[in-house]
Amino acid sequence: MKTTTKVVNRFVKMKAAALAALALAALASAPAMARDDDNDGDDFKFDLVRSQGLANFPKVAPNAQGRVKIESVGPVEIMKVKVWGLPPNTDFDLFVIQVPNAPFGEAWYQGDIETNRNGVGYGEFIGRFNIETFIVSNGNNVPAPPDPFHDPKRIPDATQNLAINPIQIYHLGLWFNNPEDVVKAGGPPNVTPFNGEHDAGVQVLNTGEFAPTDGPLKRVTTSGN
């Protein structure tokens, strides 16, 4: 009887050790599984880099960086943008643009990103962010565009339309919303049109790691293409 009991106890201990080892292995593999999920083949990721326009202003957000993830969900894309190394508690404006650095070409105002006290900001946007992203104008045979921000302190709206064929826009750029924030950071007081009221500051981040005519959105396709 004692022999049988010893055998049973030994078996129980071996089984418990095996289960414990299995549990540890599962826990150890969990981060790896999470990383695999994060790098899902349906997502496209790329970096934002400090703008060339700040080359002569080393004090302005010298460690500015960003990371973008685009997920295609059929009729639209979900674009998640995280930025860091920026001035804290500051507003910025995100644009889809034709080329990453000045003069930028055609541009589309996408939305706002506000940094927290650590200079980190996050934005999530839904729209067309893929190889089909473009801007077009059919010309002058439409009423003159409105001018809702008629103010000498702002860059004025155009008072007539232009005719342009479709232009693909595959880059991203992030601008200071307020020129005063640029000055506080040690930069120039330049006023640019890159916010909703056309009185923004200078660009701080863009997709300049990609060639001007080969922006990252060009690499995002959909099943319909």
Side-chain angles (χ1 to χ4, degrees), residues 30-152:
M33 293 174 63
R35 286 192 296 270
D36 288 342
D37 292 340
D38 188 53
N39 290 314
D40 190 292
D42 294 333
D43 298 339
F44 177 58
K45 302 169 191 173
F46 52 91
D47 293 329
L48 297 175
V49 298
R50 192 169 179 268
S51 175
Q52 288 182 3
L54 295 177
N56 294 326
F57 303 96
K59 294 183 179 180
V60 181
N63 300 313
Q65 298 180 65
R67 184 72 169 162
V68 180
K69 182 171 90 168
I70 297 179
E71 177 186 4
S72 180
V73 290
V76 296
E77 280 75 49
I78 300 172
M79 181 168 68
K80 299 178 181 180
V81 181
K82 183 177 181 180
V83 295
W84 60 94
L86 297 176
N89 303 315
T90 303
D91 294 328
F92 295 87
D93 300 89
L94 182 71
F95 278 73
V96 181
I97 51 181
Q98 185 180 351
V99 295
N101 291 289
F104 310 116
E106 303 299 324
W108 172 261
Y109 181 28
Q110 190 54 54
D112 301 338
I113 294 178
E114 182 179 356
T115 57
N116 62 18
R117 63 182 182 179
N118 298 313
V120 177
Y122 179 81
E124 186 168 326
F125 310 94
I126 298 176
R128 290 270 74 169
F129 309 117
N130 66 24
I131 195 170
E132 296 181 350
T133 302
F134 74 100
I135 192 167
V136 66
S137 173
N138 286 327
N140 300 321
N141 296 324
V142 293
D147 183 13
F149 308 116
H150 190 67
D151 186 330

Side-chain angles (χ1 to χ4, degrees), residues 1-11:
M1 184 69 177
K2 290 182 179 180
T3 302
T4 302
T5 302
K6 289 181 180 179
V7 171
V8 171
N9 288 341
R10 187 178 302 166
F11 174 76

